[in-house]
Amino acid sequence: MFRMPCQPRKGWQQLAGEFGFHFHTMYGEPYWDERAYYQFTLAQIEKDIEDPTAELHQMCLAVVDDVVNSEQLLTRFSIPKAHWGLVKDSWRNRDPSLYSRLDLVYSGKGPAKLLENNADTPTSLYESGFWQWLWLEQQVNAGVLARNADQFNSLQEKLVFRFGEIAQHYQLNQMHFSCCKDTEEDRGTVQYLQDCAREAGIQSDFVFIEDIGLADTGVFTDLADAPITDCFKLYPWEFILREEFGDSLADAKVNWLEPAWKSIISNKALLPLLWQKFKGHPNLLPAYFADDIPHNIHHKAPHNAMHGGKWVKKPLFSREGANISLIENGKESELSPGPYGEEGFIVQAFHPLPVFDGNHTLIGSWLVDDMPAGISVREDSNAITQDLSRYLPHIIL
Amino acid sequence: MTNSNKSHAAQDAMTDNQSSGSATSRKRSSGINLSRMRKSYALKPLAIGIASVFLSACGEEKQDAQIYTSLEDCKRDFPDAVERCDAAYKTATEEAMRTSPRFNSEYDCEYEFGANQCRTVNTNSGSVFMPFMAGFMVSQLLSPNRYYSQPLYTSYSPYSSYRSRWVTADGNVFSGDIRKRNYKVGSDTLKPKPTVNRTMKRGGFGSSVRAKSSWGSSSRKGSWGG
């Protein structure tokens, strides 16, 4: 695994416009960055990323099964009691999932370590599944990259196939797609999924999360008052379950993507549970509930589980690295502020991201349902909080 | 269409055909149809409603249908099949509950259907106002297979295009005034109408975003994905 400077394609910004990729630059900072790429060997991809991704996913599913069967754990995961039935039913009915992204720390050697599981609302999908694919095709055709250069990226193919399976499962030929207003990135991600669904023969209708209505018949409606029966939502379950319309979820009987059981797998309480169940697994970092063993991190007890050292403290629910603290030899320092944390925190052993040319590099490893489907590489100037990430393409050679 | 589109097509074909690596062991998607991934238009975020367009199918077989304004009228016509009339009437009232036009306010309902022509119905999410069923249309009542029955409405409002005419739950207006009781209708007219969802409230999702989006430290503060 190494980082290779590379000539950007001429006029790629215009091409991005033609393909509807409007968020390649965000808040005045480059987001899509093709001035360099990452190169992996096939063995690194298959043995160090693909296989562990499949295995980690199965381990996560095993934890979900434990949680839905334990009131104590459902409480620990801050799933509102009123919705336990919804979450359990979605799991017991095996409601199909679409996709997720595991964030991995990987330097090219040694086992990749799971940082967290974005199983509910992962973004950077379009730039992974389509845009970096197009970059590779064009750079190969231009002679910039070797003809036998490949990429770990079967995302689009698998998404289309998976939409076909989901259509079969729910006997549907139409779905709604939804995300929040005022975010081009989320809208772009959802548009991409609509494109994939269309390739699978599904007609899509779009409605913003804020515009969803509740009808006298108990169903959710779009702006044309059409009922929402099957819906992909790029909106976190932890919000949905706590908002006003959350009370109407049971009656509305929507087949959601992602399904409600993803509220468990996307929760950071998953991390201590994984460590408890699979302690010492090479792809896991030690993790605990922060309130389980507070003295272990805040005082250097001689025989604690954590031996002082460096720990990262994260809220159960958080987005974009908000409310992260670093605990070093018992001392806590805030790395990022934010609105999260009232539901509790977990701590995870600090494992530094590898540094390439001064950039901290994070691997996002995608799954479509339970199949590993590709990676995304993001770089940040910050070691932990990933505040100004840039997306770089990758190749296998 | 334009020259630039032509060159896109050529480029798309090239990109699709000249894929690198061997097709069997590739780790990436094999065929992405680039022309289908192009967005020649800006994103259109608003849902475009599916307009209900009613076109009478030409040359279609039509069948006789009768309109009754009371159960007794029906029984008078079919003294040997009064139980059929009971069933047809029951079907129509149930369909009215499911498919009737509905309004958020009594004023709106009366504006369309006339004074004292509306009733209140309480639902999970509040009260709605629906016009009273003014009649029911039956067809093939004596058929051993399937008879048709559906509710009809009429308006007493001077502001309404339905005034003194028969109208179905989905707004199909019959020719002639309400004294006309026998029609020849197509199968579309007799089909059960879709359930009407009257949206009572919007904005019940998204409040967490308003509460949390003031935290602007992140460069990707707009996104609620991860």
Side-chain angles (χ1 to χ4, degrees):
Chain A
M1 175 184 180
F2 56 89
R3 186 182 194 275
M4 194 70 183
C6 182
Q7 193 65 39
R9 290 164 294 167
K10 277 204 176 67
W12 70 261
Q13 286 92 345
Q14 193 206 326
L15 192 69
E18 291 168 20
F19 279 101
F21 181 29
H22 299 299
F23 51 99
H24 54 74
T25 306
M26 287 193 280
Y27 310 103
E29 301 283 341
Y31 167 61
W32 168 263
D33 187 353
E34 59 178 80
R35 292 170 298 182
Y37 60 83
Y38 281 81
Q39 181 170 326
F40 298 82
T41 65
L42 185 60
Q44 285 174 329
I45 291 291
E46 291 188 332
K47 291 202 179 66
D48 293 349
I49 295 176
E50 186 173 17
D51 294 348
T53 294
E55 188 183 349
L56 283 167
H57 182 70
Q58 291 305 319
M59 289 156 63
C60 292
L61 294 181
V63 170
V64 174
D65 199 55
D66 291 346
V67 176
V68 294
N69 289 305
S70 158
E71 297 200 344
Q72 187 242 329
L73 287 177
L74 285 165
T75 309
R76 206 62 166 115
F77 275 63
S78 285
I79 308 291
K81 194 168 184 177
H83 297 303
W84 286 359
L86 185 85
V87 174
K88 287 179 182 188
D89 286 348
S90 82
W91 177 248
R92 288 182 187 149
N93 296 336
R94 294 287 179 271
D95 286 350
S97 73
L98 181 63
Y99 75 132
S100 51
R101 194 192 73 227
L102 305 180
D103 282 345
L104 303 176
V105 187
Y106 179 64
S107 64
K109 43 188 179 298
K113 300 285 188 186
L114 176 69
L115 268 191
E116 51 190 70
N117 188 346
N118 294 288
D120 188 18
T121 60
T123 52
S124 74
L125 184 69
Y126 175 81
E127 46 278 40
S128 299
F130 178 70
W131 192 247
Q132 72 166 344
W133 183 94
L134 184 63
W135 168 85
L136 178 82
E137 295 278 329
Q138 295 189 325
Q139 293 291 47
V140 165
N141 288 337
V144 173
L145 293 174
R147 285 223 77 77
N148 56 336
D150 198 1
Q151 193 171 69
F152 181 30
N153 179 15
S154 54
L155 258 174
Q156 182 158 337
E157 210 164 72
K158 287 196 166 71
L159 285 168
V160 172
F161 184 78
R162 183 62 177 157
F163 269 117
E165 289 181 331
I166 288 166
Q168 190 77 21
H169 179 91
Y170 288 125
Q171 290 295 299
L172 58 83
N173 55 20
Q174 178 276 345
M175 277 186 76
H176 279 83
F177 288 77
S178 190
C179 68
C180 284
K181 294 179 178 177
D182 303 323
T183 151
E184 204 157 44
E185 183 188 5
D186 286 6
R187 185 67 191 93
T189 301
V190 169
Q191 181 60 52
Y192 180 54
L193 285 167
Q194 289 178 251
D195 291 347
C196 291
R198 181 197 60 208
E199 294 303 303
I202 298 171
Q203 188 216 316
S204 71
D205 293 291
F206 182 83
V207 59
F208 282 115
I209 290 284
E210 296 92 333
D211 286 338
I212 289 176
L214 179 63
D216 54 346
T217 46
V219 300
F220 292 130
T221 56
D222 64 16
L223 280 177
D225 277 5
I228 296 171
T229 55
D230 304 87
C231 187
F232 174 88
K233 46 98 210 134
L234 193 66
Y235 193 64
W237 271 109
E238 70 257 23
F239 290 175
I240 294 175
L241 296 181
R242 285 169 175 76
E243 292 178 354
E244 188 188 345
F245 280 1
D247 300 339
S248 307
L249 283 166
D251 286 340
K253 293 192 173 55
V254 177
N255 298 317
W256 294 102
L257 280 182
E258 299 295 323
W261 57 265
K262 285 286 188 101
S263 61
I264 294 170
I265 212 168
S266 63
N267 192 306
K268 289 195 186 61
L270 179 84
L271 299 168
L273 266 285
L274 276 173
W275 185 248
Q276 204 174 304
K277 198 173 172 73
F278 303 99
K279 194 167 188 165
H281 189 284
N283 298 114
L284 293 179
L285 293 169
Y288 302 92
F289 286 103
D291 57 358
D292 260 359
I293 35 166
H295 62 279
N296 284 337
I297 37 177
H298 291 292
H299 310 284
K300 281 199 272 177
H303 42 253
N304 63 49
M306 310 175 85
H307 307 293
K310 266 176 138 178
W311 297 82
V312 177
K313 184 177 160 195
K314 312 173 179 184
L316 291 196
F317 307 132
S318 79
R319 305 276 136 190
E320 297 126 40
N323 297 94
I324 304 267
S325 304
L326 184 68
I327 298 170
E328 194 166 4
N329 295 318
K331 261 204 218 144
E332 181 172 339
S333 49
E334 187 187 84
L335 298 179
S336 59
Y340 301 96
E342 60 189 280
E343 289 86 9
F345 291 86
I346 61 112
V347 293
Q348 183 183 49
F350 174 70
H351 194 82
L353 292 173
V355 178
F356 293 87
D357 298 345
N359 301 289
H360 303 268
T361 304
L362 177 70
I363 307 291
S365 183
W366 294 92
L367 289 127
V368 174
D369 186 27
D370 56 3
M371 288 183 294
I375 55 167
S376 46
V377 182
R378 280 172 301 160
E379 287 184 348
D380 203 286
S381 52
N382 192 299
I384 299 174
T385 52
Q386 295 285 313
D387 194 43
L388 284 165
S389 295
R390 280 167 295 110
Y391 190 107
L392 276 78
H394 80 277
I395 69 169
I396 306 171
L397 199 63
Chain B
M1 294 188 275
T2 64
N3 282 335
S4 80
N5 274 354
K6 252 189 223 159
S7 71
H8 287 158
Q11 184 193 334
D12 289 354
M14 182 187 76
T15 311
D16 279 353
N17 293 337
Q18 301 184 0
S19 34
S20 55
S22 85
T24 47
S25 63
R26 271 167 48 139
K27 303 292 286 181
R28 70 182 189 277
S29 299
S30 47
I32 293 182
N33 186 337
L34 292 186
S35 57
R36 289 177 70 88
M37 295 301 292
R38 281 187 195 281
K39 301 274 178 292
S40 48
Y41 49 89
L43 291 180
K44 286 183 194 132
L46 287 183
I48 310 238
I50 307 147
S52 337
V53 179
F54 289 91
L55 298 170
S56 56
C58 295
E60 190 199 18
E61 195 80 11
K62 297 212 167 192
Q63 50 191 332
D64 289 320
Q66 294 84 43
I67 296 169
Y68 297 108
T69 53
S70 74
L71 185 52
E72 284 64 42
D73 285 353
C74 178
K75 289 178 176 174
R76 200 175 304 127
D77 271 7
F78 296 97
D80 299 330
V82 291
E83 74 290 347
R84 288 260 169 165
C85 284
D86 285 330
Y89 178 76
K90 185 163 175 280
T91 302
T93 51
E94 284 166 3
E95 284 294 281
M97 198 58 205
R98 189 176 69 81
T99 64
S100 155
R102 27 196 94 186
F103 298 82
N104 287 331
S105 75
E106 188 166 28
Y107 176 85
D108 290 342
C109 187
E110 293 196 343
Y111 186 88
E112 190 69 73
F113 288 93
N116 304 316
Q117 297 303 312
C118 296
R119 57 184 174 143
T120 316
V121 177
N122 292 313
T123 70
N124 288 341
S125 40
S127 299
V128 290
F129 298 86
M130 300 179 184
F132 290 111
M133 181 172 96
F136 61 109
M137 171 176 262
V138 299
S139 182
Q140 300 179 345
L141 194 68
L142 299 179
S143 153
N145 304 317
R146 195 194 180 314
Y147 66 84
Y148 296 89
S149 175
Q150 65 166 303
L152 291 182
Y153 308 88
T154 190
S155 173
Y156 298 89
S157 164
Y159 313 110
S160 174
S161 54
Y162 308 148
R163 184 177 165 86
S164 295
R165 302 176 78 179
W166 292 113
V167 59
T168 60
D170 55 350
N172 197 10
V173 185
F174 288 86
S175 60
D177 78 5
I178 48 170
R179 284 168 299 188
K180 187 168 174 190
R181 299 296 164 86
N182 294 298
Y183 285 89
K184 279 202 178 290
V185 295
S187 61
D188 262 8
T189 310
L190 295 167
K191 254 194 232 151
K193 304 298 177 261
T195 302
V196 171
N197 299 292
R198 188 86 194 159
T199 300
M200 305 303 290
K201 192 185 262 182
R202 293 193 192 276
F205 284 133
S207 58
S208 308
V209 172
R210 286 192 293 280
K212 299 199 193 284
S213 63
S214 58
W215 291 91
S217 74
S218 168
S219 62
R220 300 172 63 206
K221 64 188 166 187
S223 171
W224 295 99

